[in-house]
Amino acid sequence: MRLVLYYLVLFGSSYVISSYGPHQRAQMTGDILLGGLFPIHFGVASKDQDLAARPESTQCVRFNFRGFRWLQAMIFAIEEINNSSTLLPNMTLGYRIFDTCNTVSKALEATLSFVAQNKIDSLNLDEFCNCTDHIPATIAVVGAAGSAVSTAVANLLGLFYIPQISYASSSRLLSNKNQYKSFMRTIPTDEYQATAMADIIEYFQWNWVIAVASDDDYGRPGIEKFEKEMEERDICIHLNELISQYFEDYEIQALADRIENSTAKVIVVFASGPDIEPLIKEMVQRNITDRIWLASEAWATSSLIAKPEYLDVVAGTIGFALKAGRIPGFREFLQQVQPMRDSHNEFIREFWEETFNCYLEDSPRWQETENGSTSFRPLCTGEEDITSVETPYMDHTHLRISYNVYVAVYSIAHALQDILTCTPGHGLFANNSCADIKKMEAWQVLKQLRHLNYTNSMGEKMHFDENADLSANYTIINWHRSAEDGSVVFEEIGFHSMHAKRGTKLLIDNTKILWNGFSSEVPFSNCSEDCEPGTRKGIIDSMPTCCFECTECSDGEFSNHKDASVCAKCPNNSWSNGNHTFCFLKEIEFLSWTEPFGIALAICAVFGVVLTAFVMGVFVRFRNTPIVKATNRELSYVLLFSLICCFSSSLVFIGEPQDWTCRLRQPAFGISFVLCISCILVKTNRVLLVFEAKIPTSLHRKWWGLNLQFLLVFLCTFVQVMICVVWLYNAPPSSYRNHDIDEIIFITCNEGSVMALGFLIGYTCLLAAICFFFAFKSRKLPENFTEAKFITFSMLIFFIVWISFIPAYFSTYGKFVSAVEVIAILASSFGLLACIFFNKVYIILFKPSRNTIEEVRCSTAAHAFKVAAKATLKHSTVARKKSSSIGGSSASTPSSSISLKTNDDPASAKPRVSFGSGTVTLSLSFEESRRSSLM
């Protein structure tokens, strides 16, 4: 039974080898066989298979000259290795190369032949048949080109661990080693290309683009990564479309309509040349020439798109091309191709016919021409000069994909060389063993490739990373129109390296770029116009974030560049200008010594000090006069000193506030005023008590002595001092910069505790209220002894000033706070000085006749008569009420008389008040000693 199974497998496998796979191929035998998959044609002819008969293989159409050059690069590398004496000596590499026609079905058809041969070798059927002439197993495959094709091939080759090295498949999905176990590549992954494209768009400050991707495993993952990059950069994609070379005409037209109606001017395309060609043709027909194309590497240098008839639409395209390499001798190899001589390469005959637009004599298509089934072409001799024709095949100036093919072949060769030169005990396999190159299998080559590390002919280090990818480096090209023949010229304008340092990944020479083929001005592709400096981008409802309206920055904010997302706040010491494009330093304001208002207040304060000092000088000069003595001259000196302090304290409020001035000014003002009002209170209350005591006793004289008066002043002032000490200890005032006002910084004092300030002023007002009470009560005493009326009026001024101060203080700001308090201090100080002392100074200086002892006696006597008259009147009223209450009484009412008798001796003069029933004597002595006790 087992023998029958072997024969069945042998029969089926032999059938596969002989008949399965494309009939057209490039093949050469060797000791080791490499497979190759190249897009020699751009696609297959669409043909409806109705299955009425056996299905025929689909026909490949549109010859790809670049794909044929890639195939030639593989053959050239193999021949170069076979001729090398150092690399794989005494061994010959063979190849079997098939055309994928850029389709998955054709690629799988070719891949099955590789897999079938490897399956036969694994069955070890040498004992059943003579297999010495069979084709060796394919130990590695170079290809394919498109990512969608490579994905299908990788799924099949991965089942048998046959290494596959692609030269042009960049889909990031292929980096998944769990799914694509044997896939490797010599081209960077689209993971990097999508990032590079996003960097380009950000570099040119575009934020409104169209994304078009091929509907396959190349376009979809690429554009998906691109979308993520756009989101991270806040760049919007207006349209996101899929495209395929197999789209119907109406689908292409609908896509062109959407692009034409879009306001986005930049079109990012992740697709191959055949997929994007139908859209380009439609754009050419519509003459849509105002778009900028951003091309992925799959079509950035495609000869299918880079045609002169398409340049009106695609001129100015920015493309990502692979890094170009150098292949010595490859140009000459390309020129040596001959259809008659190269019999191992069946593609050369078609290449020759397509190059010279003719048919070889033994070509099957020549026979079809004779039958009239194809268009007429002349016959070729096969000896034509290949260098006389311009085709993409001979374009060897920038070898990119061809170089990748070259590197792929050499990578396999170096892996085989490592196997050949492996020393037992240093190998990669079990127990550090080495593989036998004569009996090796594909999986052993795959293992060796994963650990490959060598230097190529250009001096570059070659190795595959953990994802079997190479490092990403792109050359950025710009499509120009040649001035000579109008063809497409790929102008290198910069490069992009993913592994370079930040800031050096993308380098572009803007002077080399021609937009739309002729302009040097960067096109505008934004949803909204740029916002000028001084404005910011504002959100528009139901629109993407890239679509915005320009909103002017608020006061105190600025933007100094275009398209600012937010307006930056000015620093605390700055404010924005009228256009909100920059910030200028705020003006610093305080109650300055140099400003007119400050100068006026300072002059008033100094004038108050000088005036008070003048009054003090007058009182000192006339200290022995009766008026000065009657006003308690010692307390008057203290009172005048306190007024000097009050005027002086206002000066501390002027000038730039410092911490020490802030801590000094309120205590200085508060203590000065309390000292002043305490003096007024003590002297007023003292005279009032003396005069209300009908006959002054020694107790009154002792109680109201000078020492006790000063003690009371000290105690009243000490309370204020303690309030200030507690305030300064717990919440000391400090200098404060107020930034709340636009364009101005007010330097003020932070009082630390408003409550403490309230206590300070409240205590002062309390003393003033008590003083007002006593002054009002003593308003009828002799003016020589007390200034009750004037003190009453001064206290009214004091209350009016400080009651007005409270709302004014809390309703003003900045330097005016200090000004309000200075005005209040000056006003109340001038009020006290004027009301209490100006009348006395006037009498002393201008009415000296009133400043005599006789004037003082008369004033005192007049007051005494008033008091006696009131007492007599009161006594008479009481007596009448008593007499009228006794009925029948006929006694006459005694007469009353008041007489003043004085002796000749003035020293013994005693005013006497006489009544009918007796006399009351009021003795006043003006002796200096007794007077002193009253003063």
Side-chain angles (χ1 to χ4, degrees), residues 575 586-589 738-746:
W575 193 252
K586 289 183 179 180
E587 181 182 355
I588 297 179
E589 283 196 6
N738 187 351
H739 300 274
D740 296 337
I741 309 302
D742 301 349
E743 305 181 15
I744 298 174
I745 297 177
F746 287 117

Side-chain angles (χ1 to χ4, degrees), residues 23-295:
H23 296 288
Q24 198 174 14
R25 67 188 69 179
Q27 181 173 305
M28 188 179 71
T29 59
D31 299 324
I32 300 173
L33 198 63
L34 305 183
L37 297 172
F38 294 91
I40 308 302
H41 293 85
F42 284 112
V44 295
S46 58
K47 187 175 181 181
D48 185 16
Q49 301 281 2
D50 59 2
L51 302 180
R54 182 184 179 88
E56 297 179 357
S57 178
T58 54
Q59 183 179 2
C60 299
V61 295
R62 294 189 300 168
F63 192 82
N64 184 359
F65 288 95
R66 293 179 70 223
F68 181 69
R69 187 178 73 232
W70 303 342
L71 179 148
Q72 290 289 82
M74 179 175 177
I75 295 176
F76 173 77
I78 290 175
E79 292 185 1
E80 196 174 57
I81 293 168
N82 288 338
N83 294 328
S84 173
S85 59
T86 57
L87 189 59
L88 298 178
N90 303 320
M91 298 196 69
T92 303
L93 294 180
Y95 54 84
R96 296 177 67 205
I97 303 173
F98 296 98
D99 179 15
T100 64
C101 301
N102 206 36
T103 60
V104 172
S105 59
K106 288 291 183 181
L108 288 177
E109 190 178 354
T111 306
L112 282 173
S113 65
F114 302 144
V115 173
Q117 183 60 42
N118 280 49
K119 189 63 178 177
I120 291 175
D121 288 351
S122 65
L123 291 177
N124 193 16
L125 301 179
D126 291 343
E127 57 180 297
F128 299 101
C129 66
N130 182 11
C131 299
T132 55
D133 295 331
H134 79 281
I135 301 175
T138 303
I139 54 94
V141 175
V142 177
S147 295
V149 175
S150 288
T151 300
V153 172
N155 280 317
L156 186 55
L157 293 179
L159 295 174
F160 303 95
Y161 291 93
I162 301 175
Q164 173 191 358
I165 303 181
S166 175
Y167 47 84
S169 298
S170 56
S171 173
R172 65 187 183 93
L173 297 181
L174 290 167
S175 297
N176 186 352
K177 294 300 104 182
N178 292 326
Q179 185 172 357
Y180 308 104
K181 302 178 179 62
S182 62
F183 180 83
M184 311 176 82
R185 52 186 163 194
T186 56
I187 185 174
T189 173
D190 286 337
E191 185 87 11
Y192 303 135
Q193 186 175 193
T195 302
M197 282 187 164
D199 289 341
I200 284 280
I201 292 173
E202 187 177 33
Y203 176 83
F204 290 113
Q205 299 180 0
W206 296 322
N207 69 4
W208 194 238
V209 299
I210 299 172
V212 179
S214 57
D215 190 11
D216 54 26
D217 289 340
Y218 169 72
R220 287 191 300 270
I223 213 66
E224 180 183 340
K225 173 64 176 177
F226 177 75
E227 289 175 0
K228 292 180 180 179
E229 293 289 338
M230 292 294 97
E231 290 178 3
E232 292 178 2
R233 292 167 168 80
D234 291 330
I235 300 173
C236 300
I237 299 177
H238 184 211
L239 295 177
N240 197 341
E241 304 287 345
L242 295 176
I243 195 173
S244 172
Q245 60 180 313
Y246 303 111
F247 270 15
E248 299 293 339
D249 290 342
Y250 73 90
E251 294 178 292
I252 296 296
Q253 292 171 2
L255 175 57
D257 288 338
R258 291 191 290 272
I259 292 176
E260 187 175 8
N261 295 330
S262 173
T263 56
K265 301 300 180 182
V266 175
I267 306 174
V268 180
V269 181
F270 260 95
S272 61
D275 286 325
I276 195 63
E277 185 186 20
L279 177 60
I280 298 296
K281 286 182 177 179
E282 184 65 24
M283 300 287 280
V284 170
Q285 289 180 3
R286 300 188 182 201
N287 196 30
I288 303 175
T289 60
D290 62 341
R291 298 296 194 272
I292 296 299
W293 301 80
L294 191 58

